[in-house]
Amino acid sequence: MIISCIGHAKFLIELENGLRIVTDPYDATCGYPVTEISADVVLVSHGHHDHSAVDTVRGVETVIDAAGTYALPEDVTIRAVEADHDDAGGSKRGKTLLFCIEAEGLRVMHLGDLGHVPTEAQLAALGSADVLMIPVGGFYTIDAPTAVTVAGLLNARVVLPMHYKTSANADWPIAGIEAYTALCDEPVEFLDLLRVARGDLSCQPASAVLKPTSLR
């Protein structure tokens, strides 16, 4: 499995069977360049412009934007669990979806615009994470300290922080990646991509910042 960050909360997950999954595609108003990309499946955590621009992705066959369990070819399962976009029961920003992708013996999670510590029921529905894409910037989502807490609750083996301030969204009222890396007990690696398999999890970094391909 290869995981690349396009920018913001948009990742490309490439499976050995050729299936390509894109998470939370953004539009041009997000600040990040919109680059050409194709995928079979697009995951949309919620309808905000920086997470739901499905029309920017070519070749899409399946869009998952509602809670439920979805069976895909080659024994790939995607579970979408509803959560809140804020810490006030969704009254400020509505709902978001938390995704768990089960493929190649791995559980890969993308937590959308999570705005609170998940409930016991939500944690139980998700299970433990081998790879966890989690927002860390605060204001619109959970902040870095809360992200560390949530990663611990999910027993995350590899954490990929997302939804933080960069040169592309410098005017957003969110924190930069330093707010997260400063809290990490183990060294954080900065990588172009993450290549991961079930058998090499013990060799992977505890946290990795994937350099956005749209900013290279």
Side-chain angles (χ1 to χ4, degrees), residues 18-191:
L19 191 73
R20 293 166 61 90
I21 302 170
V22 163
T23 66
D24 281 9
Y26 54 79
D27 67 13
T29 66
C30 183
Y32 288 86
V34 177
T35 56
E36 278 197 16
I37 191 170
S38 62
D40 306 288
V41 181
V42 174
L43 309 183
V44 175
S45 66
H46 62 293
H48 292 171
H49 68 93
D50 54 331
H51 294 262
S52 63
V54 177
D55 60 339
T56 64
V57 184
R58 294 181 286 105
V60 179
E61 297 180 0
T62 303
V63 176
I64 298 177
D65 58 3
T69 300
Y70 302 82
L72 301 179
E74 305 290 340
D75 295 321
V76 176
T77 300
I78 298 178
R79 188 161 54 259
V81 178
E82 188 176 75
D84 297 322
H85 194 330
D86 54 56
D87 58 1
S91 62
K92 296 178 182 177
R93 297 187 179 91
K95 300 294 184 179
T96 190
L97 293 175
L98 316 176
F99 294 104
C100 178
I101 304 164
E102 296 191 36
E104 299 177 6
L106 294 167
R107 297 164 71 96
V108 178
M109 298 184 193
H110 184 286
L111 301 192
D113 264 8
L114 179 65
H116 61 96
V117 175
T119 65
E120 290 186 8
Q122 290 163 342
L123 292 170
L126 291 170
S128 297
D130 294 313
V131 180
L132 177 65
M133 290 161 268
I134 187 169
V136 301
F139 194 83
Y140 301 113
T141 68
I142 56 174
D143 58 14
T146 308
V148 171
T149 297
V150 174
L153 292 171
L154 291 170
N155 300 307
R157 177 61 190 83
V158 182
V159 176
L160 306 179
M162 64 179 185
H163 209 291
Y164 52 84
K165 182 179 290 188
T166 69
S167 60
N169 57 7
D171 59 340
W172 286 34
I174 59 178
I177 191 59
E178 299 82 7
Y180 173 76
T181 58
L183 300 175
C184 295
D185 294 329
E186 300 183 42
V188 177
E189 295 192 20
F190 288 74
L191 305 173

